[in-house]
Amino acid sequence: MTIKEQAERLHKTVEIFILSCIDSNGYPLTKAVVPGKHREALNELYFATNTSSKFVDAIIKNRKSSVYFFRQDDTAWEGCFLKGSMEIVTDMNIKEKYWLEDYREAYPLSVFTDPDYCLIRFIPSSGRFYNSYSVEDFEV
């Protein structure tokens, strides 16, 4: 199995993703999010957040960003760092596709058309995969 395939496998099983972008003062802005509704491939990841968040404002000003996810158990540590860019999704068909009923509590209108429901698309350009004591870079 290639490093990229290992990263693909890991991304489909983890419970939390760590997103980072650059704020307007040039500092990292980081948040933890749950995985999106669909996890088709590593080359395009989707995450939901609030339009009113500082994170969305930072992405609008600077698309450079990263995503990190990992798994740890008694015998191993696997992690994947992805570097790339984020963008705000405006296509309502895509926003509807990634809407989860669990989001109802987080958004006043309780539907995917709620203006505070923001879908972020992350497009990675490269990655670094960690497996126990081994590290390997890969292109996405």
Side-chain angles (χ1 to χ4, degrees):
M1 183 181 296
T2 69
I3 291 298
K4 186 176 177 187
E5 290 169 338
Q6 290 178 56
E8 285 272 1
R9 179 188 44 77
L10 180 62
H11 116 271
K12 291 181 179 180
T13 63
V14 297
E15 300 292 325
I16 301 291
F17 288 81
I18 308 299
L19 311 183
S20 295
C21 63
I22 307 299
D23 73 10
S24 59
N25 295 314
Y27 289 95
L29 185 60
T30 302
K31 70 187 294 179
V33 297
V34 296
K37 183 176 183 178
H38 304 284
R39 295 193 239 181
E40 291 103 351
L42 198 61
N43 64 336
E44 186 176 71
L45 306 176
Y46 290 87
F47 304 99
T49 192
N50 297 84
T51 303
S52 57
S53 73
K54 289 181 181 183
F55 201 84
V56 170
D57 186 51
I59 292 168
I60 291 169
K61 293 175 181 162
N62 185 346
R63 294 181 53 196
K64 291 181 181 178
S65 52
S66 65
V67 172
Y68 184 76
F69 49 94
F70 67 96
R71 176 191 68 82
Q72 179 185 8
D73 62 29
D74 294 338
T75 61
W77 175 283
E78 287 183 307
C80 185
F81 168 80
L82 297 172
K83 178 173 59 174
S85 63
M86 289 188 191
E87 63 187 26
I88 307 304
V89 175
T90 57
D91 183 316
M92 293 307 277
N93 292 323
I94 297 172
K95 288 180 77 168
E96 182 179 21
K97 176 182 177 180
Y98 286 91
W99 173 261
L100 288 170
E101 290 302 311
D102 292 350
Y103 295 161
R104 288 182 177 275
E105 293 181 33
Y107 301 98
L109 299 181
S110 299
V111 293
F112 74 93
T113 56
D114 188 312
D116 201 35
Y117 165 59
C118 182
L119 188 64
I120 298 168
R121 178 185 2 244
F122 176 72
I123 308 294
S125 56
S126 63
R128 176 170 282 185
F129 188 76
Y130 307 86
N131 187 347
S132 296
Y133 300 104
S134 173
V135 178
E136 193 167 337
D137 293 331
F138 63 95
E139 295 299 313
V140 179

